[in-house]
């Protein structure tokens, strides 16, 4: 797991008196150099004083006499600290997280973290409590297979999976897992009706990186549901309104490649069905649909109906 790998990197760097190359660190942890550099960036953002030196004799090391509090933490405390709240709470690690934070704060002169609260779910969205989350997490921690009953669009199906990682987004949990002989896929944990850990040891694909997989999965999902191409014109001042109504990387890319003239921007934007597109665009002030004509008429009819009701 990524959390265990980050801890291993801290321990390795803390035990050395000389720098270690990213290549050597990658070999010891059986990952790619790209993964190591990504991890080092994450450790730096967490406050670990990482130093990288180029040239002969260079490599990666820790700054000065910095001492990690890792040695005083249990495995559960380490995991809870690295995954953070509210994920730790959902996984039953609330007390471990509180203990870990208290131990870390005793080693630090800064209490800035006491002034920051991370609240995961979006506004006005009920947080899920998926019943099978504990079983899924147990399979991940023990690196075992899973047999689940999954409630999908075509009803319930029995599936055997190799769990690769968990993602929590806006209070909702998703499992990245791979069917034997297949490719990694995403499963919503709240739709797992039953789950059982199978005593089958698994070895994750060596090139699999959960963060990269999730970024690609989000982009692919966004593209799969945005199947109509819409040409829009709107005031530049209303770009934020458009982003609020239709968030996502595809919208940002469309705006970046748009054509601007005298305070007006014209963009080509992939959107969902006409019905969904109308409900989104009717909230954007000053927007004009240039094509397709069916969507333009639909937006006109929706706006006129609303105006008539509020005369």
């Amino acid at each position: 797991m990524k959390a265990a790998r980050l801890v291993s990197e801290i321990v390795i760097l803390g035990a050395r008196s000389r720098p270690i190359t990213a290549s050597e660190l990658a070999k010891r942890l059986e990952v790619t150099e790209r993964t190591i550099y990504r991890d080092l960036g994450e450790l730096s953002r967490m406050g670990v004083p990482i130093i990288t030196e180029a040239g002969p004799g260079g490599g990666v090391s820790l700054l000065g006499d910095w001492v990690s509090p890792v040695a005083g933490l249990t495995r559960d405390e380490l995991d809870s600290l690295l995954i953070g709240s509210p994920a730790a709470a959902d996984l039953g690690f609330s007390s471990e997280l509180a203990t870990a934070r208290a131990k870390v704060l005793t080693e630090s002169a800064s209490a800035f973290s006491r002034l920051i609260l991370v609240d995961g779910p979006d506004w006005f969205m009920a947080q899920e409590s998926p019943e099978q989350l504990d079983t899924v997490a147990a399979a991940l921690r023990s690196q075992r297979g899973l047999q689940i009953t999954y409630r999908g669009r075509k009803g319930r199906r029995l599936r055997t999976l190799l769990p690769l990682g968990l993602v929590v987004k806006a209070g909702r949990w998703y499992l990245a897992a791979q069917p034997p002989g297949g490719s990694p896929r995403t499963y919503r944990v709240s739709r797992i009706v039953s789950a059982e850990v199978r005593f089958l040891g698994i070895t994750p694909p060596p090139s699999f990186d959960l963060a990269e997989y999730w970024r690609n999965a989000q982009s692919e999902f966004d593209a799969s549901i945005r199947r109509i191409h819409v040409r829009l014109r709107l005031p530049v001042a209303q770009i934020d309104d458009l982003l609020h109504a239709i968030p996502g990387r595809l919208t940002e890319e469309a705006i970046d490649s748009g054509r601007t003239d005298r305070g007006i921007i014209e963009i080509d934007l992939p959107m969902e069905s006409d019905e969904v597109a109308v409900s989104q665009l009717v909230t954007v002030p000053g927007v004009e649909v240039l094509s397709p004509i069916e969507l333009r008429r639909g937006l006109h009819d929706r706006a006129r109906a609303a105006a008539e009701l509020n005369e």
Side-chain angles (χ1 to χ4, degrees):
M1 291 179 62
K2 182 179 180 180
R5 190 177 67 243
L6 291 174
V7 172
S8 297
E9 289 162 353
I10 292 176
V11 171
I12 291 172
L13 292 173
R16 294 179 62 90
S17 58
R18 300 181 62 185
I20 182 174
T21 66
S23 175
E24 185 179 350
L25 195 53
K27 289 178 182 178
R28 291 185 61 173
L29 297 175
E30 298 181 346
V31 295
T32 65
E33 285 190 50
R34 182 180 179 184
T35 297
I36 291 297
Y37 284 118
R38 200 158 36 225
D39 287 352
L40 294 176
E42 188 160 340
L43 287 172
S44 294
R45 290 189 291 273
M46 291 167 57
V48 179
I50 301 289
I51 296 178
T52 57
E53 301 176 61
V60 184
S61 60
L62 296 176
L63 176 64
D65 57 356
W66 185 82
V67 177
S68 167
V70 164
L73 301 179
T74 67
R75 176 186 174 183
D76 286 349
E77 289 168 352
L78 281 170
D79 284 345
S80 68
L81 191 63
L82 289 167
I83 63 178
S85 177
D90 283 353
L91 293 170
F93 290 148
S94 293
S95 61
E96 288 82 356
L97 179 62
T99 303
R101 284 178 169 170
K103 289 181 178 180
V104 171
L105 284 172
T106 61
E107 301 293 331
S108 172
S110 171
F112 181 60
S113 62
R114 299 181 193 271
L115 307 177
I116 304 297
L117 174 66
V118 178
D119 185 8
D122 284 346
W123 286 102
F124 313 118
M125 179 181 290
Q127 186 170 357
E128 293 182 339
S129 298
E131 296 180 359
Q132 304 302 325
L133 180 59
D134 288 347
T135 304
V136 172
L140 273 171
R141 297 195 67 168
S142 60
Q143 292 193 308
R144 301 289 183 180
L146 266 177
Q147 188 172 72
I148 68 170
T149 301
Y150 190 72
R151 186 180 69 252
R153 295 180 179 177
K154 298 181 180 180
R156 298 185 179 189
R157 292 189 177 184
L158 188 66
R159 302 181 185 275
T160 299
L161 301 172
L162 309 179
L164 302 174
L166 279 166
V167 176
V168 58
K169 181 176 178 64
R172 296 179 177 179
W173 284 90
Y174 299 88
L175 169 67
Q178 180 175 319
S183 300
R185 297 183 58 184
T186 304
Y187 301 85
R188 190 162 168 178
V189 179
S190 63
R191 293 179 181 168
I192 298 178
V193 179
S194 64
E196 180 182 351
V197 178
R198 310 298 287 184
F199 292 97
L200 169 69
I202 68 169
T203 302
S207 60
F208 181 81
D209 180 87
L210 183 59
E212 184 175 356
Y213 167 79
W214 183 248
R215 283 193 298 270
N216 293 335
Q218 290 184 96
S219 297
E220 290 171 5
F221 175 75
D222 200 14
S224 70
I225 62 174
R226 296 204 194 186
R227 296 186 175 180
I228 66 172
H229 295 276
V230 180
R231 177 162 293 182
L232 301 174
R233 182 186 293 145
L234 72 157
V236 171
Q238 263 61 62
I239 285 179
D240 286 345
D241 294 295
L242 181 67
L243 284 167
H244 179 76
I246 314 168
R249 195 172 75 177
L250 291 178
T251 304
E252 295 171 358
E253 292 175 351
I255 292 171
D256 290 341
S257 58
R259 297 166 293 281
T260 304
D261 182 33
R262 299 179 183 179
I264 301 295
I265 185 170
E266 186 174 312
I267 66 173
D268 294 308
L269 179 65
M271 297 189 69
E272 297 182 48
S273 65
D274 285 356
E275 182 179 354
V276 173
V278 166
S279 67
Q280 293 173 321
L281 292 174
V282 76
T283 66
V284 182
V287 69
E288 179 186 1
V289 175
L290 302 179
S291 67
I293 190 63
E294 294 82 6
L295 177 58
R296 181 182 176 94
R297 289 171 179 164
L299 183 61
H300 172 271
D301 293 344
R302 177 73 66 87
R304 184 174 64 180
E308 290 174 353
L309 284 172
N310 291 276
E311 283 182 346

